[in-house]
Amino acid sequence: MRATSSVIVGRDAETGLLDEALEGVGRKAGRAVFLVGEAGIGKSRLAGECALRAYDRDVPVLRGRATSTGLVVPFRPLVEALSSRFRAVGAPDHPELDPYRPALAGLVPEWRAGTVAPGYAISLVELAEALLRLLAVLGRERGCVILLEDLHDSDTETIAVVEYLVDNLADLPVLLVGTLRPDAGPALDLALAAELRNTAAVRELGPLDEDSVRDMVDACLDAAPDEVPPAAHRHLAQRAGGNPYLVEVLLADLLETGRLSRVGDGWRLADHGEAATVPTGAVRSWARRLDRLDEPVRELLLLAATLGGRFSVGALRAVTGLDDRALFAHLRSASEAGIIAPDGAAHDHYTFRHVLTADALRASLPPAEQAALARRAATAIEQSSGELSGEQRQLVATLRLAAGDRETAARQFAQVGRQMLDAGASGSAAVLLERARGLAAEEERDEVTVHLAIAQAESGRLDAAAALLDDLPPAPAGSRAAEERAQAHTQVAWVATMAERQEEARRRIRAARALLGGAPRPEQEAALVVVEGHLALLPEQDGRADGRERLKEAERSARRAALTAEQRGRPMVACQAWQLLALLSRERGFDEADACLARMLSVAEKHRLATSRAEALVRLGTNAFMRTGEATPLETARAAAHELGSLALLQTVDGLLAMQSVLGARWDRAREIVEGSVEASARLQNVSAHRYLLLVDATLAAHQGRAREQERALARFRRAGGEESMLVPLQRGLCQAVGALMGEDRQRARDELDAALAWERAHPSFFYLSGRYGLRPLLGLLDGDDEGGRAAYREALASPGGQLAWNRMFLGLADAVSRGRDGDPDGARRAVAEAGRAAPVFPQAWHLALRLTAEAALADAWGEPVTWLRTAEEYFHEAGVPAVAGACRALLRQAGVSVPQRRGGRERIPAELRAAGVTPREYEVYVLLVDRPGNQQIARRLCISPRTVEKHMASLMAKTGAVDRSALCASSAERAEGREWAAPPGAPSA
């Protein structure tokens, strides 16, 4: 007879908290709640109650559970949670999720086909961000709930994803509920740390008091108050220790043994005199229940419990040797007895109704018999198939350990750990390799330690990896053990370099070289010099001043490494080398850089290295953008990154596209990209992309003349370590110098450009939009530094940087200034015309350059400075940059030219008339000339004097070039006929 409670008792505070959280998700006030307590305390009951209350609100619920078998199965709770929802309603097809489908393909079976490129491992943070976006879409209408149970049994990847979700739920319509035991481990650490950060609520469930146990027993028996004897309540409260699960188990035992029975309208407890402790009582209770089952069912359940709290039908078949008919008959009997149940997440698995059940069943056997069963099960699984899967191998390892064979268990754990490391699941690999290391024989422990160090480094625990490698005993240089350790040091050095941990990277390289001795094999040397080359690109933190020489040596070594790696079958190292060479060869020209990237692309495509292929396309797209200002190749690269499923690479491309939009004065597009990626890049810990996006944000404000926004954005850039990065020249030249010019602070602009140049001379620099190759020479010439400006112009013109579209525009105008100053007005005009080819691509920069160049043209009497100033004044007035617009007006006044009044309605004037200097009032007169009225009529229509009309007419003829009044009227009529002007209110229609 079963004894289960249909209601939850004694948990009013916890259900109130969950109700409050459910209300919050409807207001996009997401939160996380962790329910902590010992096995059987009622965590799953509360999670189930939360699910029911969510269903009542029509809120989507996703529910998953970690495996209790001790096996490490990456993302199992997350896969089960998503499957629990999508199995019923299908996966969502919202277009907003398109960029995230590749990352989610490992969790959503429907999205696996053709989504992730071969050879690319989605990072944990990419996956977590993608899951966050998915949950936000699912909860958009009413919120959503994700329930993750038994997190103490979760793999480290799941814990990392959950931590990311918890830290980023605040403004999303998502409630995350996790259950876990209070055992020391990553899950409990996560919950407690989140509580300290105020990103989660943690509730520890204590035992039920006697009143709650009484209410629970009455609910189990569907009994009215006072029907159950107080002695029965006391018996269960004392022996169950307030644990709801044990209350039910012990109550079922009382009922099945007849000690508690219904008599008339009440219940009677027979005196038995047993006084067992709670655990022993539970074990004895299950032992008695087993004794009442048929022998084959009892044997099957003991073997199933040996396999763990969750077991597969295939494994049980292999261990029992039963045919399907007998096996399923026994499983059905055990299920009907309320001991096991089908696992809803996997059709070929069963679970014990509670993990304590399996523990109690195993504990009912003597230790020797437990070990024998475990040995029998391990042997049967090993012999049942050829190559064991990772999950099967873990199960065998667990069984061998239970049987007392530690060394065999260690080898199995180590093999699965290495397989997971190769597959990119570095966190789970580290767990298994750590387990193997603790069990391994002394002669095998060092090899396991080497792989464990690599797993720790690749999962972001560099310090732990370094400690493991440093603790290894010495190995003879050139030996097999030394070569394995050297490879591990090299891999850890690469991770440290990518994390900008320069000193740690150098330590690992030194250690690798010491292990390899004086004559490493060519492919080993190639791997090391590629890491050293990338390390040389970082700004020095040790004050060394030999950066240029180091780069030259790095380039020579990288070229040898690239060829060696291709010949020796190390395509990944070859791609890394060609990528390094592409950056280093920019100094000699972008053609050579593109040739290196084309070689990288060829190697990547030949060996199906999806990540390297996408990175090559991104860098080719970047070079094309810098040369021409054209974004199409970058868009192609973005599509490749999207196909790959790399959110980190997507953010890198988005940063470049955003900067291209800033330079092209497409402010809204730039802002849209930055707002969509900057916070996500921070969550992904994509440091380089995050810094670049922050710099784009500051540059966007600078180019719009918004000084306060610029400073706020730069403050964030500095906090992110931007001023210790290679972005400093762009910060000083492209952002702060242009921002100073937008504020008409020429001296500050020159100071910023000088600071950018000083940084570039002291550090390796590969950015060519810092002003050194365009804006700086122009300002030098304009501000009277004729000799220095011409020298800077010649240097820039001879550099590859001078061939870039952005820089060519400024250099062309610098050439025009020089020619005009040298008495060559025709040459100066040609130079302006050539530079003006960039005007459609960089309109803001072009108008700024016109405003600057007009000063020299006025002083040296060449070109069309008045037209340029009017055009620039009009542009910056419309763009809301008053300082530059005001400077244009001041220069026009100095030139003795009438300056337009800034009054309303100017936007109605056609561009050609605005450029000619027509004012809004003059335009009002102009549009009335369609009907050829006299001055008196115009005066009455506009409520001004005839004398004023006469002045406006004279000004209009001068500005438009009309020879007389008749010609001016004809011009007005022609524009009206062609709808080329916008009539002000009250003007006649054509």
Side-chain angles (χ1 to χ4, degrees):
M1 180 176 183
R2 296 188 192 179
T4 56
S5 174
S6 58
V7 298
I8 294 179
V9 298
R11 305 298 186 202
D12 293 343
E14 290 79 6
T15 53
L17 172 65
L18 293 172
D19 272 339
E20 179 187 338
L22 278 171
E23 291 290 341
V25 296
R27 303 188 303 271
K28 293 189 177 180
R31 67 187 306 182
V33 176
F34 290 105
L35 304 174
V36 182
E38 65 182 23
I41 204 67
K43 304 182 297 293
S44 293
R45 294 171 192 250
L46 276 171
E49 181 67 18
C50 179
L52 290 175
R53 298 185 183 202
Y55 290 137
D56 288 342
R57 292 173 166 85
D58 203 19
V59 170
V61 175
L62 301 87
R63 190 170 187 175
R65 180 189 300 274
T67 178
S68 59
T69 59
L71 308 186
V72 178
V73 183
F75 309 120
R76 183 189 187 278
L78 302 174
V79 173
E80 184 176 320
L82 294 178
S83 298
S84 71
R85 172 71 181 173
F86 300 157
R87 193 183 300 119
V89 301
D93 57 0
H94 199 287
E96 184 180 329
L97 295 174
D98 288 348
Y100 303 99
R101 290 175 189 269
L104 289 167
L107 304 182
V108 183
E110 294 90 332
W111 292 345
R112 285 179 189 166
T115 51
V116 181
Y120 179 71
I122 299 292
S123 76
L124 279 179
V125 187
E126 287 176 312
L127 175 61
E129 176 66 18
L131 180 56
L132 193 70
R133 298 299 182 100
L134 173 60
L135 294 174
V137 168
L138 291 176
R140 182 160 292 163
E141 293 184 9
R142 302 178 185 85
C144 80
V145 177
I146 179 167
L147 304 175
L148 301 174
E149 299 184 58
D150 295 340
L151 286 172
H152 53 273
D153 286 327
S154 284
D155 55 288
T156 58
E157 283 82 6
T158 294
I159 296 297
V161 171
V162 171
E163 181 174 29
Y164 186 93
L165 294 179
V166 168
D167 284 343
N168 295 285
L169 288 178
D171 299 318
L172 297 177
V174 180
L175 168 60
L176 184 149
V177 178
T179 71
L180 62 150
R181 293 184 195 170
D183 304 332
L188 185 61
D189 292 343
L190 158 65
L192 296 178
E195 185 180 37
L196 285 175
R197 295 193 302 271
N198 292 319
T199 57
V202 177
R203 293 295 181 270
E204 186 163 359
L205 306 184
L208 300 179
D209 58 25
E210 288 192 10
D211 290 342
S212 297
V213 170
R214 182 192 64 231
D215 294 341
M216 181 178 176
V217 171
D218 291 347
C220 288
L221 298 175
D222 196 20
D226 301 326
E227 282 189 9
V228 178
H233 290 146
R234 286 194 302 272
H235 172 90
L236 293 168
Q238 292 168 3
R239 285 160 177 73
N243 185 297
Y245 169 75
L246 293 178
V247 169
E248 290 183 347
V249 170
L250 296 173
L251 177 59
D253 184 50
L254 290 178
L255 294 170
E256 291 179 9
T257 59
R259 294 183 58 211
L260 181 65
S261 58
R262 178 172 282 282
V263 178
D265 294 333
W267 292 83
R268 182 178 65 85
L269 177 68
D271 185 18
H272 194 275
E274 181 179 349
T277 63
V278 172
T280 304
V283 170
R284 291 181 179 177
S285 172
W286 278 111
R288 285 193 293 268
R289 295 184 71 178
L290 282 178
D291 288 340
R292 289 190 288 273
L293 296 173
D294 293 338
E295 181 59 29
V297 178
R298 177 182 181 278
E299 179 74 8
L300 177 139
L301 284 173
L302 289 172
L303 285 168
T306 301
L307 298 177
R310 177 178 181 268
F311 56 90
S312 74
V313 172
L316 193 59
R317 182 190 296 113
V319 174
T320 61
L322 295 172
D323 59 35
D324 283 353
R325 182 176 179 180
L327 178 66
F328 284 107
H330 298 334
L331 287 171
R332 189 162 49 250
S333 297
S335 182
E336 290 171 353
I339 301 173
I340 62 173
D343 186 348
H347 69 279
D348 61 342
H349 280 67
Y350 279 77
T351 62
F352 284 90
R353 288 193 175 274
H354 198 283
V355 66
L356 285 178
T357 305
D359 294 342
L361 291 177
R362 286 194 299 271
S364 69
L365 298 174
E369 193 171 344
Q370 292 181 41
L373 278 179
R375 192 177 304 110
R376 170 186 164 188
T379 301
I381 293 170
E382 288 172 333
Q383 295 174 351
S384 64
S385 60
E387 183 66 25
L388 297 178
S389 68
E391 193 167 340
Q392 288 174 320
R393 197 174 294 281
Q394 284 188 69
L395 178 57
V396 168
T398 302
L399 292 169
R400 290 295 180 193
L401 183 59
D405 189 351
R406 293 169 57 89
E407 294 181 8
T408 301
R411 295 188 195 104
Q412 296 285 9
F413 282 132
Q415 185 168 344
V416 185
R418 289 191 293 269
Q419 290 171 350
M420 286 193 173
L421 183 59
D422 291 341
S426 54
S428 288
V431 170
L432 291 169
L433 290 166
E434 185 72 66
R435 197 175 295 172
R437 183 170 180 258
L439 299 171
E442 186 174 349
E443 62 272 16
E444 297 175 356
R445 187 171 297 125
D446 290 346
E447 183 179 354
V448 176
T449 301
V450 167
H451 288 101
L452 175 59
I454 296 171
Q456 295 282 32
E458 293 191 357
S459 58
R461 294 183 284 272
L462 264 174
D463 292 336
L468 287 166
L469 291 174
D470 291 342
D471 286 345
L472 286 168
S479 65
R480 177 177 173 275
E483 289 190 353
E484 289 179 351
R485 295 181 195 182
Q487 182 176 348
H489 281 288
T490 304
Q491 289 179 252
V492 175
W494 176 261
V495 175
T497 301
M498 294 301 101
E500 300 184 15
R501 295 270 300 272
Q502 296 185 41
E503 186 51 42
E504 183 59 40
R506 292 191 185 96
R507 286 183 62 226
R508 296 302 125 205
I509 291 170
R510 289 194 296 269
R513 290 197 174 283
L515 287 163
L516 292 174
R521 293 199 303 274
E523 65 271 22
Q524 295 169 332
E525 177 67 18
L528 281 167
V529 300
V530 166
V531 178
E532 290 171 330
H534 282 273
L535 188 59
L537 298 179
L538 298 176
E540 282 296 317
Q541 296 176 355
D542 56 6
R544 293 168 62 183
D546 57 345
R548 293 291 171 188
E549 286 304 314
R550 285 187 298 107
L551 288 180
K552 290 179 181 178
E553 178 56 34
E555 184 173 0
R556 289 191 291 268
S557 299
R559 197 167 295 278
R560 291 193 299 269
L563 298 175
T564 299
E566 285 191 41
Q567 294 166 0
R568 296 289 182 123
R570 300 287 293 275
M572 180 59 74
V573 173
C575 286
Q576 292 169 343
W578 286 119
Q579 179 179 326
L580 175 63
L581 287 167
L583 203 56
L584 294 172
S585 60
R586 276 185 175 182
E587 277 195 342
R588 292 186 299 278
F590 280 74
D591 287 340
E592 186 175 338
D594 282 355
C596 293
L597 291 172
R599 185 72 168 267
M600 175 184 175
L601 182 62
S602 174
V603 172
E605 289 180 338
K606 178 180 178 181
H607 295 278
R608 301 189 56 159
L609 301 176
T611 303
S612 296
R613 175 182 179 273
E615 288 176 343
L617 289 173
V618 168
R619 282 155 182 78
L620 284 166
T622 301
N623 287 356
F625 155 59
M626 292 177 69
R627 283 172 142 179
T628 66
E630 171 59 47
T632 301
L634 266 180
E635 295 286 2
T636 301
R638 191 183 193 283
H642 178 271
E643 178 185 350
L644 177 67
S646 171
L647 296 181
L649 199 55
L650 272 175
Q651 289 166 355
T652 297
V653 181
D654 281 346
L656 296 168
L657 287 170
M659 186 65 86
Q660 194 266 351
S661 296
V662 170
L663 300 185
R666 294 187 295 278
W667 316 126
D668 291 342
R669 175 62 178 150
R671 187 172 294 105
E672 177 187 358
I673 294 174
V674 170
E675 289 178 351
S677 299
V678 68
E679 298 303 332
S681 65
R683 293 196 297 264
L684 280 175
Q685 300 178 37
N686 188 1
V687 176
S688 59
H690 182 61
R691 285 175 181 162
Y692 193 80
L693 285 160
L694 290 174
L695 180 59
V696 172
D697 194 26
T699 307
L700 171 62
H703 284 223
Q704 292 180 282
R706 299 177 177 176
R708 289 185 180 179
E709 291 181 22
Q710 172 191 328
E711 284 308 311
R712 284 196 294 268
L714 282 175
R716 293 186 66 194
F717 174 74
R718 294 184 186 102
R719 287 196 297 271
E723 292 191 338
E724 289 78 49
S725 73
M726 291 190 292
L727 296 175
V728 171
L730 291 182
Q731 172 203 354
R732 307 303 294 265
L734 189 60
C735 175
Q736 291 176 236
V738 175
L741 291 175
M742 290 299 167
E744 283 296 316
D745 189 342
R746 188 82 63 84
Q747 184 57 52
R748 185 161 64 86
R750 300 249 349 236
D751 291 345
E752 294 291 358
L753 291 167
D754 288 345
L757 178 60
W759 194 97
E760 288 182 315
R761 285 176 172 165
H763 303 84
S765 179
F766 307 97
F767 294 103
Y768 293 91
L769 301 182
S770 63
R772 177 180 183 179
Y773 303 101
L775 182 59
R776 187 173 181 276
L778 174 60
L779 288 185
L781 285 167
L782 291 174
D783 290 347
D785 183 9
D786 197 67
E787 183 178 347
R790 290 175 189 260
Y793 168 79
R794 290 191 295 271
E795 177 192 347
L797 197 63
S799 163
Q803 308 310 309
L804 305 183
W806 175 267
N807 294 329
R808 280 201 312 270
M809 178 178 62
F810 291 109
L811 288 179
L813 292 174
D815 183 34
V817 170
S818 294
R819 290 178 182 273
R821 191 167 293 168
D822 292 342
D824 181 10
D826 292 338
R829 279 194 293 270
R830 286 194 299 271
V832 171
E834 178 64 25
R837 294 171 60 182
V841 182
F842 308 119
Q844 175 99 330
W846 172 248
H847 285 92
L848 176 63
L850 283 182
R851 172 261 175 275
L852 295 170
T853 306
E855 291 185 22
L858 283 170
D860 298 324
W862 61 271
E864 303 175 56
V866 171
T867 301
W868 299 341
L869 286 169
R870 281 178 171 162
T871 301
E873 190 277 340
E874 177 68 29
Y875 182 89
F876 286 109
H877 173 73
E878 296 296 333
V881 187
V884 181
C888 291
R889 289 194 291 273
L891 286 169
L892 284 169
R893 292 189 189 96
Q894 291 174 21
V897 178
S898 64
V899 179
Q901 297 179 21
R902 281 299 165 195
R903 56 190 295 172
R906 190 165 177 77
E907 71 282 353
R908 295 176 174 272
I909 306 174
E912 182 181 342
L913 295 180
R914 285 203 306 269
V918 173
T919 68
R921 178 59 91 181
E922 289 169 350
Y923 182 61
E924 290 174 357
V925 172
Y926 181 78
V927 296
L928 293 175
L929 296 178
V930 173
D931 296 328
R932 299 179 180 268
N935 288 355
Q936 293 284 353
Q937 292 173 285
I938 295 173
R940 285 195 295 270
R941 286 287 304 273
L942 299 178
C943 299
I944 56 179
S945 71
R947 177 62 179 158
T948 301
V949 175
E950 184 178 337
K951 290 181 179 179
H952 288 326
M953 291 293 290
S955 180
L956 282 167
M957 284 188 283
K959 291 177 179 178
T960 62
V963 295
D964 54 24
R965 185 185 183 103
S966 179
L968 188 62
C969 291
S971 169
S972 176
E974 287 174 7
R975 289 184 178 276
E977 184 71 24
R979 300 286 190 229
E980 294 183 17
W981 54 265
S989 59

